[in-house]
Amino acid sequence: MPFIIGTSIPEDKVLVQSVAHIYGIGLSQSKILCKKAGFGSDSRGRNVTFSKGKNLENLAEAIPLPLGPDLRRFQNDKIRRLCLISTYRGSRHRKGLPVRGQRTHTNAKKRPLLKSNVN
């Protein structure tokens, strides 16, 4: 099972969908990466050799945006900063309520807490 940017690629799943599981890469970006790496639209994870996997990883890392754990860390740092400077959005994050103006009268009483909940 190959790993690309810390994400395992299942052998029996379509490669385009598997690459889209990398945090920060969507389906359209995944299609572009797989096409540049020389994979067809129906190729699977078992078709990834070590050299082609490295090529795919290098293409993904060439994207000028943070991906994977770096992107998660960046987003968590932004939320932690909002909580630290006591903004309204930071207090909403801390309480586990919707942050972007959604209603709470009937929905969102139990917003799922993230694994890296900022307290």
Side-chain angles (χ1 to χ4, degrees):
M1 187 179 307
F3 278 88
I4 298 174
I5 309 180
T7 305
S8 62
I9 304 297
E11 294 184 359
D12 52 337
K13 204 168 199 180
V14 177
L15 188 63
V16 174
Q17 293 175 349
S18 299
V19 173
H21 284 293
I22 298 171
Y23 194 73
I25 295 181
L27 193 59
S28 62
Q29 187 70 33
S30 172
K31 288 178 185 177
I32 294 169
L33 287 174
C34 289
K35 189 174 181 181
K36 282 184 182 178
F39 292 106
S41 61
D42 61 340
S43 59
R44 303 212 174 244
R46 64 174 144 306
N47 300 344
V48 179
T49 61
F50 182 76
S51 60
K52 282 194 170 190
K54 273 293 184 193
N55 184 22
L56 188 62
E57 188 168 4
N58 290 338
L59 286 171
E61 288 175 349
I63 297 172
L65 300 171
L67 297 174
D70 295 334
L71 180 58
R72 286 185 198 273
R73 193 174 312 111
F74 178 71
Q75 288 180 338
N76 286 336
D77 287 345
K78 287 194 322 186
I79 293 171
R80 198 170 291 121
R81 184 184 137 278
L82 288 173
C83 292
L84 184 68
I85 62 176
S86 301
T87 61
Y88 178 74
R89 283 175 52 202
S91 68
R92 300 293 283 185
H93 274 291
R94 215 177 300 123
K95 293 174 187 174
L97 293 169
V99 177
R100 297 183 179 169
Q102 295 92 339
R103 65 181 289 143
T104 57
H105 181 69
T106 56
N107 297 330
K109 292 287 186 180
K110 296 181 181 179
R111 187 184 86 173
L113 297 176
L114 300 174
K115 291 179 184 175
S116 60
N117 190 11
V118 181
N119 287 329

